[in-house]
């Protein structure tokens, strides 16, 4: 299933996509959040299909993030060997994590404001994992998928000076500017995508940047969820970003983003994003 949230920021309505029809979930839930996922909400949607009313004028509505604001957004760094290399690092022996503030989660095509004074705003296409069931001290990676509600496309936007030069040694300062986590368009349930082999791509102004596959991850989705659960509690509705492949501006091969640039992202089966960059005012 593919779920989405349509409408103005803060007033999105949950929908489910069924073939080429957009169906209203108002009779099932008023939100796609941790409580909905934890209480078997996805099963209730499945049971209600296809007898749900269509959303009138869905094509004219803004697409929001497909999940409400998560409790946590946890990101994994250096999870593709070629990206670690272009960043001047070796692949880490254990997953490296940092946080984005949950209020960075916005719609997939909302404009992105470059932070004031920034000269190093960068893109990162990433496979996002939405937690559906509380995960704490999992015994093995094989238990992880039972705690996953679905997958989303994310852009882990990054300000590299804030991440590296003035970070104080931790990356979160460079990852949490307003709107720095475009998410969606859809929350896709695991039965619909082969998450171990998904093509991830990005473009800037129509020119290709990243083109890789989730098969190249250093640590698999299952390993990451198991590993994280040894150190923190993942709660329903939380979002885990699983790292970006090579082809970002940090490599020195491409210019950083400037006002007027357009970033596009795609992951097989998870939809596309398009963001126009704007100056802060
Ligand atoms: Zn990232």
């Amino acid at each position: 299933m593919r779920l989405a949230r349509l409408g103005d920021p803060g007033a999105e309505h949950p929908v489910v996509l069924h073939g080429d029809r957009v169906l209203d979930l108002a009779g099932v839930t008023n939100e796609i959040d941790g409580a909905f996922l934890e209480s078997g909400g996805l099963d209730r949607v499945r049971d209600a299909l296809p007898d749900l009313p269509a959303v009138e004028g869905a094509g004219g509505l803004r697409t929001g993030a497909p999940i409400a604001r998560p409790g946590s957004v946890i990101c994994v760094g250096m999870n593709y060997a070629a990206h670690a290399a272009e960043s001047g690092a070796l692949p880490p022996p254990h997953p490296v994590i940092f946080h984005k503030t949950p209020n960075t989660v916005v719609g997939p095509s909302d404009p992105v404001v470059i932070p004031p004074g920034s000269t190093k705003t960068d893109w990162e296409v990433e496979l996002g994992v939405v937690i559906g069931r509380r995960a704490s001290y999992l015994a093995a990676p094989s238990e992880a998928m039972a705690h996953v509600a679905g997958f989303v496309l994310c852009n882990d936007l990054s300000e590299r000076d804030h991440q590296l030069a003035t970070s104080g040694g931790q990356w979160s300062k460079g990852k949490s500017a307003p709107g720095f986590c475009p998410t969606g368009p859809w929350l896709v349930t695991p039965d619909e995508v082969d998450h171990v082999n998904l093509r991830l791509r990005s473009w800037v102004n129509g020119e290709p940047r990243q083109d890789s596959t989730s098969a190249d991850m250093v640590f698999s989705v299952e390993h990451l969820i198991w590993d994280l659960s040894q150190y923190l509690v993942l709660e329903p509705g939380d979002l885990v970003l699983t790292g970006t492949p090579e082809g970002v501006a940090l490599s020195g091969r491409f210019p950083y983003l400037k006002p007027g640039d357009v970033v596009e992202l795609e992951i097989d089966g998870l939809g596309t994003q398009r963001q126009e960059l704007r100056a802060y005012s």
Side-chain angles (χ1 to χ4, degrees):
M1 286 191 303
R2 292 177 296 156
L3 277 66
R5 294 164 70 250
L6 305 180
D8 292 337
E12 294 92 344
H13 295 283
V15 302
V16 59
L17 288 87
H18 191 67
D20 56 0
R21 299 195 310 149
V22 179
L23 304 181
D24 195 344
L25 284 178
V28 179
T29 184
N30 54 19
E31 192 50 290
I32 301 171
D33 57 8
F36 165 77
L37 297 170
E38 186 175 29
S39 65
L42 292 173
D43 290 336
R44 291 199 297 280
V45 174
R46 206 168 264 120
D47 291 345
L49 284 172
D51 302 320
L52 292 166
V55 177
E56 299 299 329
L61 296 174
R62 166 187 170 268
T63 302
I67 51 170
R69 183 186 291 189
S72 291
V73 181
I74 297 162
C75 305
V76 177
M78 305 290 180
N79 200 30
Y80 289 80
H83 173 64
E86 75 176 355
S87 308
L90 290 169
H94 304 283
V96 172
I97 67 166
F98 57 90
H99 285 84
K100 284 174 104 74
T101 52
N103 61 7
T104 56
V105 173
V106 297
S109 296
D110 291 346
V112 169
V113 175
I114 295 174
S118 165
T119 58
K120 292 187 179 177
T121 294
D122 207 346
W123 59 89
E124 293 191 349
V125 63
E126 300 203 14
L127 175 63
V129 180
V130 177
I131 301 299
R133 224 177 97 203
R134 187 178 183 275
S136 179
Y137 300 121
L138 300 187
S142 59
E143 294 186 357
M145 285 307 294
H147 298 262
V148 171
F151 297 98
V152 289
L153 167 60
C154 293
N155 188 357
D156 177 20
L157 285 156
S158 307
E159 210 300 327
R160 301 302 188 188
D161 273 340
H162 300 175
Q163 179 189 344
L164 301 168
T166 60
S167 68
Q170 215 283 349
W171 297 344
S172 295
K173 279 185 186 175
K175 301 287 190 166
S176 297
F180 259 29
C181 192
T183 299
W186 312 315
L187 168 64
V188 181
T189 49
D191 56 300
E192 295 222 357
V193 285
D194 178 18
H195 70 276
V196 300
N197 190 16
L198 292 175
R199 189 179 185 188
L200 305 91
R201 288 183 287 173
S202 64
W203 298 261
V204 177
N205 301 328
E207 297 174 6
R209 292 292 186 260
Q210 298 169 282
D211 185 353
S212 189
T213 155
S214 60
D216 288 341
M217 286 183 178
V218 176
F219 301 107
S220 68
V221 167
E222 290 84 348
H223 184 100
L224 292 172
I225 301 303
W226 164 76
D227 181 80
L228 287 168
S229 81
Q230 310 306 309
Y231 305 99
L232 51 87
V233 178
L234 291 168
E235 296 189 327
D238 284 353
L239 177 59
V240 178
L241 272 56
T242 57
T244 203
E246 68 171 324
V248 298
L250 179 63
S251 68
R253 292 191 287 138
F254 308 109
Y256 285 103
L257 297 170
K258 62 185 187 308
D261 284 348
V262 173
V263 175
E264 292 167 286
L265 313 170
E266 181 169 5
I267 298 180
D268 287 348
L270 300 184
T272 60
Q273 298 191 350
R274 182 187 188 279
Q275 295 120 24
E276 187 181 319
L277 277 291
R278 292 186 181 167
Y280 175 80
S281 63

